[in-house]
Amino acid sequence: MGPVVRPVVGPVVGPVVGPVVGPMASRVVAVRERMVTDGVDALVLRPSPDYRYLGGGEGAFLVVTAEVVAETDDPASLMPSGVRRVGVDAEMRVRELFGLAIEAEFVPASTVLAPLRLCKEPGEVAAIRRAVSAAEGVLAGARELSWFGATEREMARRLGLLLVESGCEDVTALRVAAGEHTARPSHVPGDRVINPGDAVTVSVCGRWGGYCAEAARVFVVAEPPEDFDAMYSVVPAAYRAGLAAVRPGVPMSEVATAVTEVIDGSGYGRYASPHVAHGIGLGPDEGPRPGEDAVLSAGMTFCLEPAIHVPDLFGARLADVIACTESGALPLGSLPHTLHVLDR
């Protein structure tokens, strides 16, 4: 039996060999132009954000060359004659790389695809907005749950059920951090019991309709801890400063600076999270990023996430997905930043 080769399914409809027709045609043209510029003869992608970007469906691999866009179980059979450089998916395992049996130099496919994925098409922004609405719906539903006496792990499990009910296809991150744990940036929900007087950071990140969204809010149980209100008020102020800095042509680093200047001016500067923003789209963490000298353009989408973490006391983090437009920042969600008091 020969290799199994399938036309690309999903948004791309067309023959295995020859010009691609349909909504993905412009993407394929741009990718091929970039491949020529970068000296890449072929792309071999496994299921991943890059794979989905080019319309991959259920095939083991997606191959793109100057003549072919196809899903296949045997990428080597579709390599052009004299292939020298092949862009491979960053998420590909070592076993998969060896199994390709392609004699060529392997380079990251992201060098071709990442710049093209930075600016989202209007349909992509709409899809991300729908994902944001679903994520915020989970946080809104979380406020109606019973929190008193439950553990972080138990509440994370309940939130997981809300995510499934919301149509979430893939949970990429889920955090419930209470009391002193809210000061731990990478906290994993544990057996800490949630009691009156605790602050609780709740964060969800998942994929809906193929696109990712992230949302985080802070709750207080019965009443806020002492001095918490003053600290918390700095976080939405920092968020608003970052939002005001967003416009085409502005480096992402300037957005991060706008956020940190507010936190520094409040006296909480040494407790500020260094991670202020990250891109979001088909993947939960992609470009643009502040540390990569990224410059904003209309169509870029990212998660703005100011946070303060005071060790052994408490912390607060907000996360919203923002789109950069020609006129500035456009929040894709609508959940307010009001500190919500849980009464049960």
Side-chain angles (χ1 to χ4, degrees):
M1 180 181 294
V4 178
V5 179
R6 309 175 186 85
V8 175
V9 298
V12 178
V13 180
V16 173
V17 178
V20 176
V21 297
M24 287 288 164
S26 61
R27 290 188 186 179
V28 172
V29 169
V31 166
R32 283 173 169 160
E33 290 176 350
R34 183 86 189 192
M35 288 169 64
V36 171
T37 300
D38 293 348
V40 174
D41 302 307
L43 297 179
V44 178
L45 309 174
R46 67 180 297 281
S48 66
D50 284 340
Y51 175 96
R52 292 190 294 274
Y53 178 72
L54 290 175
E58 298 178 357
F61 299 97
L62 177 66
V63 172
V64 181
T65 70
E67 300 294 335
V68 174
V69 179
E71 294 180 14
T72 180
D73 296 331
D74 183 12
S77 67
L78 298 180
M79 291 298 102
S81 176
V83 61
R84 293 172 300 172
R85 299 181 81 220
V86 177
V88 295
D89 204 297
E91 298 185 14
M92 197 172 290
R93 300 177 180 88
V94 172
R95 187 188 318 176
E96 291 174 316
L97 286 172
F98 281 112
L100 293 178
I102 297 172
E103 294 186 7
E105 176 190 1
F106 289 156
V107 297
S110 59
T111 60
V112 172
L113 291 163
L116 300 176
R117 288 178 48 204
L118 276 174
C119 292
K120 274 58 175 181
E121 300 159 6
E124 291 185 284
V125 175
I128 296 170
R129 186 193 290 273
R130 290 191 292 270
V132 169
S133 177
E136 291 190 340
V138 172
L139 289 186
R143 298 184 306 197
E144 306 304 318
L145 299 176
S146 297
W147 291 77
F148 290 16
T151 65
E152 295 170 335
R153 184 177 289 110
E154 288 169 343
M155 297 312 299
R157 189 178 303 117
R158 294 175 193 175
L159 287 174
L161 293 175
L162 290 180
L163 283 163
V164 171
E165 292 171 359
S166 75
C168 184
E169 301 151 7
D170 179 25
V171 179
T172 57
L174 174 57
R175 181 197 297 180
V176 176
E180 69 283 0
H181 289 171
T182 63
R184 296 173 61 186
S186 301
H187 178 66
V188 176
D191 293 326
R192 207 279 193 185
V193 175
I194 300 167
N195 296 307
D198 282 339
V200 185
T201 295
V202 180
S203 177
V204 297
C205 183
R207 182 176 288 109
W208 293 263
Y211 284 83
C212 296
E214 182 173 358
R217 292 294 184 271
V218 180
F219 305 149
V220 293
V221 183
E223 60 182 2
E226 185 178 358
D227 299 328
F228 185 81
D229 282 336
M231 183 277 296
Y232 176 78
S233 67
V234 176
V235 180
Y239 169 90
R240 292 191 295 270
L243 203 66
V246 174
R247 60 186 180 278
V250 170
M252 277 289 285
S253 58
E254 288 191 17
V255 176
T257 297
V259 170
T260 55
E261 282 181 348
V262 171
I263 299 177
D264 287 345
S266 72
Y268 285 98
R270 59 177 172 163
Y271 304 122
S273 170
H275 305 292
V276 172
H278 62 86
I280 197 165
L282 285 166
D285 187 357
E286 55 187 43
R289 298 182 180 89
E292 297 177 350
D293 298 325
V295 176
L296 289 171
S297 295
M300 290 185 178
T301 54
F302 60 93
C303 180
L304 185 60
E305 49 177 352
I308 294 174
H309 305 288
V310 183
D312 301 321
L313 286 180
F314 41 57
R317 175 176 175 266
L318 297 174
D320 281 331
V321 179
I322 309 299
C324 179
T325 72
E326 293 292 352
S327 57
L330 174 65
L332 297 184
S334 59
L335 196 66
H337 293 161
T338 307
L339 187 60
H340 186 82
V341 178
L342 301 166
D343 57 7
R344 58 178 173 168

